Amino acid sequence: MSQIADRLIDDPGLAAGVAQLTPERIEEVVNRVLKGETGAKLKAYQETCMRCGLCAQACHYYVSHDGDPSYSPVSKTTETIYELMNKKGRVEPSRIYEMAQIAYTECNLCKRCAHYCPIGIDTGYAMSMMRRICYLLDVVPQYIRDTSHSHAATMNQMWVKDDEWIDSLQWQEDEARDEFPDLRIPLDKEGAEIYYSVIGPEPKFRTQLIYQAAAIMHVAGVDFTMPSTPGWDNSDMSMFVGDFENMGRLKRAHFESAQKLRVKKIVMGECGHAFRSIYDMGNRWLGYADMPVPVVHAVEFFWELLTEGKIKIAKKLEGPVTIQDPCNIIRGRGLMDKLREVTSMLCEQTVEMIPNREHNYCCCAGGGVINCGPPFKNVRTKGNKAKADQLAKTGVHTIICPCHNCHGGLEDIIGYYELGMHPRFLGDIIYEIMEKPEGL
Amino acid sequence: MIEIYTFVSGPLAWVAWSIFVFGSIYRLVSMYNLAKAKDSSSLAYMSLPYSLRSIFHWLVPFGTLGWKSDPLMTVATFAFHIGFFLVAIFLGAHVVFWDTAFGISWWSLSDTTGDIISFVVIGACVVFAVRRLTLPHVRNVTRGKDWFALLLVALPFVTGVLAYHQIGPSLLMTTLHILAGELLIALIPFTRLSHALFAVFTRSYMGSEFGGVRRVRDW
C-alpha cells in the first residue's frame, strides 16, 4: 500500500498556496466551511459510513493500481475531509498539500462509488467540499486555478477575448460558406428556436467543431443563434476548483444571455462537465431546482434531428465502434439509451465496453483532473489502466465519445498504453456522413 | 448478586431505553433541523417514490452492484441484520421480558432456532472482524470507532449464548448479557451504530438524486 505522502507531485499552485498557510488560518477556514456551508449531509456521511470498503472496487484509481487501498473512495474521504472534521481543522499545512492532491487529482467526482455503497454515501459531494476548503485556502493546482481565473476575468475558460469569440464564429461561418453558400451562424438572433452554446476550448483549439455544428444546423434547417456576448461558454472549471461564487456568476451569465435572446431552449455541445454545472451544481447554487431555460445536451439534440428525419445519413460509418459513456451525461443525466440509438443510426456495429451505461468507468480526465495540467498527466494515465484494459478488449478502432473531457482523457490513455484507437465526437461523424443536399 | 440483577434488569433497562429513545429523537430532530438550515438545495430533491425504489433495491441480497461485488460481506450483512432483529424481538426469553415489562406478547422462536441464529450473528461479526483485519482496503480505513461498534453489537450475542448454555455462573452471565444489551441500545444514537437511524435518509437522498435529477439507477 502506498500513501499520499509517497506520491506527492510538484505543483507551483499547491506549493505556493501551502507556503502561505498557517495552522490558525487552516483551522479558521475549515471551521468556517464546516459550520457555514456544510450541514447534515456531510455529517451523516462521515458518521454513518461503516468503513466496509465495498466502494473500493468502484474506483478506477483503485482498480488501476492493483487494489492499492489508499485509492479507495472511503480512504480518500477519510484522509481528507473526514480527517479535517475529526480534528476540527487542526492540521499542519503540509497535510493540506496532500489533501489537495487527493481531492483535485485522485478523484474525478464521477460518483461511480455510489453504485457500491449500501448506505448511499456521496463521495463526490464530500470531495467537492474538500476542494472548496482548498480553494478558500488558496491551495489549488496551478493549471486549473488559471482556468478558473480565466472564467472570473473573461467569463470563459480559455482567456478568449470578446472580439476573438465573435471573430472565431465569423471565421468558421466564412469557411463553411465555401461548402454551403447560404450557411449563417446568426449572432444574437432574438427569439430563435435554439441557442447553441459551446465550451471555451472550442473557439480556442477545436474550432472545426463549431464549423461542423453550424453545418448540421444548416442542413437540418434549424433556427438557431449564438450569443456574441459573455455567457456563450457553458463550461465551468470554477465548479471543480471549489470557487462556487464564480460558478454562480458563470451560470447566471449563461442562463441570462439565453433569456435575453428569448430563445426556446439551449443546446449544449458535446461536453459533460458543463452539463453537470447546469443541472446539478450551478443551478442549485443560484437557487434553481431545475434549469430556468430548457437545456438539452448534444446527444439529445442529435437524437431529435435524426429521429425526426431532419438529418439523413448517406452511408453509415464503416467498421465497429465502441461507446464511451461520459459520467456527467450518463450517470449524471441518463442519456445512455439515446446515445446508443444515435450511435446505431450512425454506425454499422457497436461493441460495448464492460461495464457500461451508468456503471461505466470514468475517463479519468473529468472532475477537473485533466485541467490540473501536465504535472498530473501520469496520475491520469496510470490511474486509468482499467479504462485502457476495457478499451483494448473491444478490439475496435473508433470510440464514440460525446464529451470533451473524455476525449482528452482517452487520447492520453490511448497514447500511453499504445492502443491505436481514436475517440470521435458525434457531431464530427454526423458532419462526415450526413446527406449534404446540393445548393444549400 | 441478585440485587445487581434486579437493578440491571429493572431501572437500568428503563434508563437504557430512555437514552435510546430520547437520544434517537434528539439526533434525528437536530439532524433534520441542520438539514433544513444548510442542505435545502438537497432536501428540495427528496422524492418518496425514488427513495423507496432505492431502499427496495438495496434490501434485496445481491440486488445491487455493491452486494454482488463481495458475496461473503453481503451474506454476513444480511444474516447479521436479520438475525439481530429476529433474536432481539422474537427470542423466547425476550418475549417473556416484553410480556412482563409491557404486557405485550407475541410469537416466539424456539430455543434451538434462537440459539442457531445467535451463532449465525456471531459468525457474521467474526466475518466483519476478519475483514477489518485482513482486507487491506478495509483495514486501511478502520478506526477505533469501528471496532467499538462491532464490540457493542457482538457482546450481547456472545454473553447471551454463554448464559443460555450455562457456561460460567448463570446469574452473572445473564446480568452481563443484559448489561451488554443495554449498553448497545443506549449507544446506538451516539456511535457508528447511528447508521440505524440515518442510513434510511442517506439512502433515500441518493435514491432521490439518482432517480429524479440524474435519471439513472443507484444500484
Side-chain angles (χ1 to χ4, degrees), chain B:
Chain B
M1 190 65 216
I2 194 78
E3 291 81 14
I4 298 176
Y5 172 81
T6 318
F7 175 70
V8 165
S9 61
L12 204 57
W14 284 101
V15 171
W17 279 101
S18 304
I19 296 175
F20 169 70
V21 171
F22 291 107
S24 299
I25 293 172
Y26 165 75
R27 298 271 2 241
L28 285 168
V29 169
S30 58
M31 203 64 118
Y32 178 62
N33 285 336
L34 187 60
K36 266 205 304 194
K38 294 284 170 52
D39 300 302
S40 52
S41 69
S42 296
L43 277 189
Y45 291 89
M46 289 297 268
S47 138
L48 185 63
Y50 287 125
S51 298
L52 294 176
R53 184 181 82 157
S54 177
I55 290 167
F56 170 77
H57 276 280
W58 282 91
L59 281 179
V60 178
F62 303 105
T64 64
L65 281 192
W67 291 141
K68 278 177 196 150
S69 67
D70 190 337
L72 181 63
M73 174 64 178
T74 304
V75 170
T77 304
F78 279 91
F80 171 81
H81 285 92
I82 295 168
F84 181 93
F85 285 107
L86 278 179
V87 168
I89 300 170
F90 295 112
L91 189 82
H94 293 171
V95 172
V96 173
F97 247 111
W98 298 120
D99 196 11
T100 47
F102 303 108
I104 44 173
S105 65
W106 51 63
W107 169 86
S108 67
L109 294 165
S110 76
D111 282 1
T112 319
T113 318
D115 196 34
I116 293 169
I117 296 176
S118 298
F119 274 105
V120 169
V121 170
I122 292 169
C125 290
V126 171
V127 171
F128 296 149
V130 169
R131 284 180 94 252
R132 293 216 177 283
L133 291 169
T134 58
L135 295 184
H137 62 281
V138 185
R139 194 177 58 213
N140 182 40
V141 289
T142 295
R143 301 288 184 270
K145 287 176 178 181
D146 305 298
W147 284 116
F148 183 60
L150 190 54
L151 190 71
L152 275 183
V153 293
L155 267 185
F157 285 90
V158 173
T159 51
V161 165
L162 292 177
Y164 174 70
H165 291 277
Q166 312 219 327
I167 300 166
S170 180
L171 187 60
L172 175 67
M173 281 306 156
T174 311
T175 309
L176 285 178
H177 170 65
I178 297 174
L179 258 179
E182 287 166 354
L183 197 63
L184 166 66
I185 288 164
L187 289 181
I188 282 175
F190 308 105
T191 57
R192 283 246 194 277
L193 302 175
S194 68
H195 73 272
L197 304 175
F198 298 128
V200 65
F201 299 103
T202 48
R203 182 79 268 150
S204 292
Y205 178 66
M206 189 56 95
S208 301
E209 183 166 313
F210 268 60
V213 181
R214 302 176 151 253
R215 304 171 187 178
V216 287
R217 299 177 288 180
D218 67 328
W219 60 89

Side-chain angles (χ1 to χ4, degrees), chain A residues 175-311:
Chain A
E175 291 266 321
R177 282 170 76 98
D178 277 349
E179 191 179 5
F180 304 96
D182 294 328
L183 180 145
R184 293 296 315 276
I185 298 180
L187 296 187
D188 296 335
K189 182 181 169 190
E190 278 196 38
E193 199 72 27
I194 280 164
Y195 168 116
Y196 185 61
S197 74
V198 297
I199 64 169
E202 292 198 45
K204 190 84 176 182
F205 56 80
R206 278 177 178 162
T207 325
Q208 83 280 3
L209 295 178
I210 296 175
Y211 177 118
Q212 291 164 349
I216 292 168
M217 300 278 190
H218 181 67
V219 170
V222 174
D223 173 24
F224 84 110
T225 187
M226 292 180 81
S228 69
T229 51
W232 58 265
D233 177 10
N234 55 35
S235 73
D236 188 354
M237 279 304 132
S238 300
M239 163 175 76
F240 286 148
V241 161
D243 179 356
F244 295 157
E245 289 77 9
N246 268 310
M247 170 180 77
R249 281 181 69 218
L250 293 173
K251 285 313 108 174
R252 190 181 296 285
H254 182 56
F255 288 137
E256 287 186 353
S257 66
Q259 285 169 322
K260 270 184 206 149
L261 292 175
R262 299 185 292 107
V263 295
K264 300 245 171 26
K265 65 180 170 190
I266 297 173
V267 170
M268 299 187 32
E270 293 176 64
C271 179
H273 91 276
F275 209 49
R276 181 194 200 114
S277 174
I278 56 110
Y279 72 74
D280 183 357
M281 295 190 66
N283 58 327
R284 292 193 207 196
W285 178 263
L286 292 173
Y288 296 119
D290 213 330
M291 286 81 84
V293 182
V295 186
V296 296
H297 187 265
V299 168
E300 293 169 281
F301 180 63
F302 292 146
W303 182 86
E304 282 168 23
L305 293 184
L306 287 161
T307 50
E308 288 168 10
K310 289 183 176 164
I311 290 284

Side-chain angles (χ1 to χ4, degrees), chain A residues 289-416:
Chain A
D290 213 330
M291 286 81 84
V293 182
V295 186
V296 296
H297 187 265
V299 168
E300 293 169 281
F301 180 63
F302 292 146
W303 182 86
E304 282 168 23
L305 293 184
L306 287 161
T307 50
E308 288 168 10
K310 289 183 176 164
I311 290 284
K312 293 194 174 56
I313 299 306
K315 187 174 184 299
K316 282 192 177 184
L317 194 74
E318 284 177 16
V321 300
T322 190
I323 297 173
Q324 162 68 5
D325 286 301
C327 308
N328 287 318
I329 64 166
I330 305 297
R331 187 159 37 251
R333 202 56 174 178
L335 295 183
M336 54 274 186
D337 293 325
K338 283 186 172 160
L339 175 56
R340 276 159 183 75
E341 286 175 40
V342 170
T343 304
S344 72
M345 286 187 264
L346 302 180
C347 306
E348 281 181 338
Q349 192 199 344
T350 304
V351 182
E352 289 278 7
M353 281 188 257
I354 305 215
N356 54 39
R357 299 165 69 91
E358 67 262 62
H359 302 137
N360 67 323
Y361 279 121
C362 171
C363 63
C364 206
V369 177
I370 195 170
N371 304 73
C372 292
F376 301 98
K377 187 173 175 182
N378 289 338
V379 170
R380 290 186 289 112
T381 50
K382 291 178 183 163
N384 212 358
K385 189 175 170 300
K387 180 61 76 181
D389 292 344
Q390 242 192 330
L391 287 168
K393 266 190 203 145
T394 64
V396 306
H397 176 70
T398 303
I399 308 160
I400 302 295
C401 184
C403 171
H404 283 266
N405 263 318
C406 291
H407 261 257
L410 292 188
E411 288 280 19
D412 289 338
I413 289 166
I414 290 164
Y416 185 82

